[in-house]
Amino acid sequence: MTKTLGYAAQGATTPLAPFHFERRAASPRDVQIEILYCGVCHSDLHIVRNEWQNTVYPVVPGHEIVGRVTHVGGDVNAFKAGDLVGVGCLVDSCGTCPDCREGLEQYCPTFTLTYNSPDAHTGKMTCGGYSNQIVVDQGFVLRVSDRLHLPGVAPLLCAGITTYSPLRQWQVGKGQKVGVVGLGGLGHMGVKFAHAFGAHVVLFTNSPGKTADAYRLGAAEVVISKHPDEMAQHLGSFDFILDTVAAPHNLDAYLELLKRDGTLCLVGAPATPHPSPAVFNLIFKRRRLAGSLIGGIRETQEMLDFCAAHGIVADIELIPIQKVDEAYERMLKSDVKYRFVIDLASLKPAGAGV
Ligand code: NAP
Ligand code: ZN
């Protein structure tokens, strides 16, 4: 076992605080990683505050991890000490079910999430990237290019793959009109990817102050979603809309913007459900309402390689770990440009100062 220092929530209403725990000793298949940066996903906030009602405390969040390999087990050939690597939302899966065999580990019924998930290795709950090191099976470790701005790579491990995967699944590209709803961590990556794939991108936002950034990130048009006249100009015109909003809202407002056979894909995961959309908005134009969960390991590597080839990283605000609660409050106010990333160099034992 290896002594590890992290930040944990002890309950739904307490601030995160330093927390000492142990990682398993590296087995022959394991990669041990010193964590350098970890993105702050809205899912971290949902889980820390038990909004999905499945949190086991204490919880050490964090699933947008980049770091440097410090040690590898005897059976590990793909990585060596010193390599830059990433770890996303998954650290294990059964490897044998149809989903795993297709490289879609995120749909494996017995996957292990990076935190707040029962860990078969230890019998405890997994602990995430708000910590100084992690031990992960080699099959769930990603290669990271040293050509990219490293703190900006961390959010690719969740926000990146969660938007890349549905855009690829629905074959978004040239000649298509594609909407992205919400300009936060996921949304800003959705805009970057849809633009990079050649689509005409329309960003829907509730925050007029984000308009200039949306254009800079790759949007061709920006719609303030609370203005019905602006929404009405786009009726029946979209091939695909990716909805990243973290709170319940009216889906009909977006369904009616789809063309015949268009798809509204939900990736946002609010604590309480969206109001059910009108059936007529689906049947009259054979529209589809879909969802998508992160992405598999193979596709995550493909996404990281695509980002390295095209110079794509997240737009981030680097914070010391002591500011994570403040970051959550700002995220709730949609005041994030466009992902907070924790610099783990700030993590010091309790009493050692900031
Ligand atoms: P985020 O950075 O907080 O961005 C969410 C954006 O949604 C906000 O910036 C805001 O954009 C918009 N929004 C509009 N109304 C809102 C409201 N009442 N409350 C919060 N946001 C509102 O969050 P994120 O990290 O991108 O995550 C978004 C959601 O996706 C979360 O529910 C998260 O748990 C979920 N998620 C799902 C997956 C998956 O696999 N499906 C993976 C990761 C995260 P504007 O200011 O532009 O309106
Ligand atoms: Zn996430």
Side-chain angles (χ1 to χ4, degrees):
M1 305 292 266
T2 323
K3 286 192 186 316
T4 306
L5 175 61
Y7 251 50
Q10 298 283 352
T13 55
T14 52
L16 277 84
F19 176 66
H20 293 270
F21 61 104
E22 292 195 322
R23 300 280 188 194
R24 67 176 185 258
S27 77
R29 284 187 52 87
D30 280 336
V31 177
Q32 188 156 17
I33 302 160
E34 177 199 2
I35 301 177
L36 299 174
Y37 301 104
C38 184
V40 177
C41 179
H42 206 114
S43 301
D44 301 348
L45 190 162
H46 289 310
I47 290 182
V48 160
R49 301 192 177 176
N50 198 20
E51 291 178 354
W52 293 334
Q53 290 166 29
N54 67 349
T55 307
V56 178
Y57 296 100
V59 62
V60 179
H63 57 205
E64 295 185 336
I65 297 167
V66 291
R68 204 173 278 287
V69 175
T70 51
H71 171 81
V72 296
D75 294 345
V76 175
N77 297 318
F79 303 99
K80 59 178 186 327
D83 286 354
L84 283 178
V85 291
V87 178
C89 302
L90 296 168
V91 290
D92 216 343
S93 72
C94 79
T96 56
C97 72
D99 299 307
C100 285
R101 285 206 302 269
E102 279 187 62
L104 299 170
E105 300 88 355
Q106 75 273 34
Y107 301 115
C108 170
T110 58
F111 64 27
T112 306
L113 295 169
T114 304
Y115 67 89
N116 197 46
S117 200
D119 185 355
H121 292 274
T122 61
K124 298 185 178 164
M125 299 298 276
T126 50
C127 291
Y130 295 11
S131 61
N132 56 6
Q133 59 122 2
I134 191 165
V135 177
V136 181
D137 183 281
Q138 59 177 339
F140 292 82
V141 179
L142 287 309
R143 290 183 308 281
V144 164
S145 166
D146 60 7
R147 295 202 304 265
L148 295 175
H149 175 240
L150 208 50
V153 172
L156 302 179
L157 277 303
C158 174
I161 185 59
T162 302
T163 50
Y164 183 95
S165 183
L167 292 171
R168 285 302 199 206
Q169 173 68 21
W170 275 274
Q171 298 173 1
V172 159
K174 254 193 171 32
Q176 288 181 340
K177 184 171 170 184
V178 171
V180 174
V181 188
L183 197 65
L186 267 56
H188 94 290
M189 290 311 307
V191 170
K192 286 190 187 209
F193 285 135
H195 173 69
F197 299 162
H200 178 93
V201 184
V202 181
L203 185 268
F204 295 92
T205 180
N206 269 325
S207 309
K210 294 180 181 173
T211 303
D213 282 342
Y215 288 122
R216 177 178 57 78
L217 295 166
E221 299 179 65
V222 176
V223 172
I224 308 302
S225 33
K226 55 194 170 199
H227 294 167
D229 51 325
E230 286 188 44
M231 296 289 278
Q233 286 170 23
H234 294 271
L235 284 171
S237 66
F238 280 88
D239 297 282
F240 183 78
I241 299 178
L242 187 66
D243 188 336
T244 75
V245 173
H249 59 278
N250 172 19
L251 300 181
D252 286 309
Y254 297 101
L255 281 173
E256 55 189 28
L257 303 190
L258 294 171
K259 284 179 179 165
R260 174 175 54 77
D261 290 321
T263 299
L264 171 62
C265 178
L266 308 180
V267 286
T272 50
H274 300 295
S276 184
V279 172
F280 281 9
N281 269 333
L282 294 166
I283 63 179
F284 269 79
K285 289 205 179 281
R286 202 163 55 188
R287 293 167 173 136
R288 290 148 208 208
L289 179 58
S292 183
L293 181 68
I294 46 175
I297 296 301
R298 189 165 64 214
E299 194 175 41
T300 305
Q301 189 64 62
E302 175 192 307
M303 179 273 310
L304 287 168
D305 295 346
F306 179 88
C307 288
H310 293 83
I312 295 175
V313 288
D315 285 28
I316 64 122
E317 185 174 333
L318 198 61
I319 57 165
I321 199 159
Q322 294 77 8
K323 295 225 161 158
V324 71
D325 293 288
E326 201 177 298
Y328 286 176
E329 289 309 316
R330 284 183 55 193
M331 202 152 62
L332 280 174
K333 291 188 212 134
S334 302
D335 175 23
V336 44
K337 292 189 172 168
Y338 281 89
R339 193 57 134 192
F340 294 107
V341 172
I342 298 167
D343 182 352
L344 269 311
S346 62
L347 182 60
K348 309 245 166 54
V354 175

